Amino acid sequence: MPERTDLAALITGHGRVVEMINSGESGLPVLARLLDVVQPAIGATCTAFVEFAPTGGRVIAATGDAEWAVGRPVPPTDPATVCLLSGPRVRDIRVERIPGPLGVELAERGLRRMVAARTEIGGLTVGSLHAFYPDDDPGTAGQHEVVAYLAACVAHMYGGQSGLPVHGDGSVVAALADGLAVVDREGYVRLWNPAAAQVTGRSVQEALHRPLPFPLPPSGQVLDHRLPEGRWLKITSGELPGQGTLRVVTFRDITDQQLRDQDRDLFVAVTSHELRTPVTVIKGYADTLTDHWDSLTDSDRRRAARVIGQRANDLARLVDRLLTSATEGRPGEPAVPFDLAEALRDAVADLPTDLRRRIVLDLPSGLPRALGGRHTLATVLTELGTNAEKYSPPDSPIEITASANEATVSFRVCDRGIGIRPEHVERAFDRFWQGESGDRRPYPGAGLGLYLVRRIVEQQNGWVSLRPRPGGGTVAEVRLPRG
């Protein structure tokens, strides 16, 4: 570690981050740039940021030797998680003292020490910023303060909810208690309780004697209203008894309920659409064979049978996805060591013919055994391969490579297609998500493939991540524990 922080580089780099924010960029790209800034300024070997939610954490951004961990889940029961979320807000920790597998993984990469600072909003931990070093020398107070300062900068990004949190169930968007306000005839606030401040993010001082920050429904009626940052409120109002025209307004956060309702509606819409297409085609060709068998040539009959078979396979795959989605979270079979290279070759052989012809396998000899469910690899590779096929030119290759390190065995599915935006690398794993800006809407699909891949892989104590491929395209990487 250098004796002092390179403040000039830090200020220059941080200024560029601010310029990114001012130009309208947000979320992961800004966070990634901030990590790029802090690493050389404080002499770290690598940096990483973990986002925490009620269900645990996940590495969502990293630099240098820590990039391999992007996408890695950090379970809430992991001893390392308990260590990070307790004690002082900024800590200088020797890697050998980090309990659980995380400490072992870091030590195997030659990292000896970590400076970590929690990112907190109103007492809630939404993430933690980490800088790693190859030596045991304690850092200076100034360097610790820089990590703490940048963690606070990230907290400000989360507070604005501009592209963050990456995961919608984070602490920042957790449901809050009911709010209560009293407004006059012009709609100006006369009373604003603490819960109202929590629900809206407006303090008593910011709310009093100002217009109500959301629509006021007629007395006795209920209104569901979406706030600009995306949360939903259920608002009711009524007249206060006595002289004057004061009205009491109560409101609560119903974001979770809205999301459940939207998931249900989207599930019905997507399922009905995706089922209707292959069923319609199968029925059409079956009717043609039934009604016109004698007038069809052998070639026409074979073509009709081939299309029926292909669409039946599509239908079976969709039903399997839906069933897997409905039962995800149930315990699977115990993990066992298996030959990843052999399993990948077998899985490729079972792919649809058109997809299989585009696959280019490059598997090293002597690849260590992986620990997991060998039978699930075919599903994982089919989903990743189909995704690559869908978003890349028809004649372009889809490359599958594999490698290993001290802790994991991994394989990558790389395409040369339209690529994935940095701000979408995590959202792509959401159930039913198909992209927001139209770049993927022309492509068919239920939006379940990557969602199921992540669930399957994480049930085996592995993790999966996406990233843009240099020169165009997307890289999907799956990491499993070594067997």
Side-chain angles (χ1 to χ4, degrees), residues 28 56-57 63 85 96 138 155 189 214 218 229 237 239 255 276 281 299 313 354 388 393 411 427-428 431 440 481:
L28 278 175
T63 65
L85 296 180
E96 64 187 32
V189 174
F214 45 74
E229 65 270 24
S237 73
E239 301 287 345
T255 304
R276 185 180 296 116
V281 174
S299 176
N313 288 335
D354 290 343
F411 70 91
R427 292 210 59 195
R431 182 159 44 181
R440 292 172 182 261

Side-chain angles (χ1 to χ4, degrees), residues 67 81 147 176 216 324 329 366 406 445 474:
E67 287 185 345
T81 308
V147 177
L176 301 171
L216 181 64
T324 304
E406 296 83 356
T474 301

Side-chain angles (χ1 to χ4, degrees), residues 30-338:
V30 176
L31 180 58
R33 174 60 69 87
L34 194 63
L35 295 185
D36 287 334
V37 167
V38 67
Q39 179 182 327
I42 61 175
T45 299
C46 51
T47 57
F49 186 82
V50 178
E51 180 178 272
F52 287 109
T55 54
R58 187 179 300 279
V59 180
I60 63 171
T63 65
D65 292 341
E67 287 185 345
W68 64 275
V70 171
R72 184 191 193 279
V74 184
T77 56
D78 190 307
T81 308
V82 177
C83 175
L84 293 172
L85 296 180
S86 60
R89 181 168 169 264
V90 183
R91 303 180 65 183
D92 196 323
I93 309 170
R94 293 181 64 177
V95 164
E96 64 187 32
R97 295 180 180 174
I98 299 176
L102 178 60
V104 176
E105 292 173 6
L106 295 174
E108 289 174 342
R109 283 174 164 70
L111 302 175
R112 306 288 296 278
R113 194 165 48 80
M114 172 179 74
V115 177
R118 290 197 297 273
T119 296
E120 298 178 344
I121 301 176
L124 295 173
T125 298
V126 297
S128 56
L129 180 62
H130 304 258
F132 299 95
Y133 299 90
D135 54 62
D136 289 329
D137 298 334
T140 65
Q143 288 158 339
H144 295 176
E145 290 168 358
V146 168
V147 177
Y149 165 72
L150 292 174
C153 291
V154 178
H156 182 71
M157 293 167 59
Y158 273 84
Q161 296 185 20
S162 180
L164 295 171
V166 170
H167 301 284
D169 59 349
S171 301
V172 174
V173 294
L176 301 171
D178 288 6
L180 181 143
V182 174
V183 298
D184 59 24
R185 72 169 67 189
E186 284 80 25
Y188 282 74
V189 174
R190 297 286 191 88
L191 181 146
W192 194 253
N193 77 337
Q198 284 186 300
V199 171
T200 63
R202 292 195 175 199
S203 67
V204 174
Q205 293 76 16
E206 293 171 325
L208 286 179
H209 312 300
R210 290 180 172 86
L212 198 66
F214 45 74
L216 181 64
S219 180
Q221 296 188 19
V222 180
L223 172 68
D224 290 349
H225 174 71
R226 188 178 186 183
L227 297 174
E229 65 270 24
R231 290 185 297 114
W232 284 85
L233 301 182
K234 183 175 289 293
I235 309 165
T236 61
S237 73
E239 301 287 345
L240 281 176
Q243 296 273 330
T245 56
L246 295 180
R247 296 173 67 183
V248 61
V249 185
T250 59
F251 45 96
R252 66 176 58 183
D253 191 308
I254 59 167
T255 304
D256 287 346
Q257 177 186 331
Q258 285 284 341
L259 291 175
R260 285 193 296 270
D261 291 345
Q262 290 172 9
D263 276 352
R264 180 199 62 207
D265 294 343
L266 189 56
F267 179 85
V268 172
V270 169
T271 302
S272 61
H273 171 74
E274 294 298 320
L275 290 174
R276 185 180 296 116
T277 301
V279 168
T280 300
V281 174
I282 290 171
K283 185 178 185 305
Y285 276 93
D287 289 345
T288 298
L289 289 175
T290 301
D291 299 337
H292 306 285
W293 179 271
D294 293 334
S295 62
L296 295 173
T297 65
D298 287 344
S299 176
D300 290 335
R301 293 169 188 159
R302 282 194 294 270
R303 179 174 178 275
R306 184 169 59 253
V307 172
I308 290 174
Q310 291 172 344
R311 291 298 185 168
N313 288 335
D314 293 342
L315 187 59
R317 184 161 164 259
L318 176 60
V319 171
D320 182 63
R321 281 177 167 184
L322 295 173
L323 292 175
T324 304
S325 175
T327 58
E328 64 94 8
R330 298 180 184 178
E333 297 180 9
V336 296
F338 68 94

Side-chain angles (χ1 to χ4, degrees), residues 11-35:
I11 293 171
T12 301
H14 196 211
R16 291 171 181 162
V17 172
V18 174
E19 290 175 0
M20 289 179 66
I21 295 173
N22 290 341
S23 66
E25 293 195 59
S26 62
L28 278 175
V30 176
L31 180 58
R33 174 60 69 87
L34 194 63
L35 295 185

